[in-house]
Amino acid sequence: MSAPCIAKRPAAPVLPAVPAHGIFEQVQALLAREQLRAAHVRQLEILLDACTGG
């Protein structure tokens, strides 16, 4: 039994700003952005799989 499909796609997460200065802070912000983006992609894939019965 598959889950019902949803008509509305989840909103993309708000990504943290990358500071103009400070390499450590820039790296932290970029890693956080990538983790949020990857989590959002996984969420979309799960929803798509549920719709297609995959």
Side-chain angles (χ1 to χ4, degrees):
M1 182 169 108
S2 63
C5 291
I6 60 167
K8 185 176 173 191
R9 174 176 146 167
V14 176
L15 301 177
V18 177
H21 302 287
I23 188 70
F24 184 70
E25 292 81 3
Q26 289 174 337
V27 169
Q28 280 188 315
L30 289 170
L31 286 173
R33 289 170 68 98
E34 179 57 25
Q35 289 171 347
L36 283 170
R37 187 201 64 77
H40 183 66
V41 168
R42 281 192 305 271
Q43 182 183 23
L44 292 175
E45 288 172 346
I46 289 167
L47 290 171
L48 182 60
D49 286 348
C51 279
T52 59

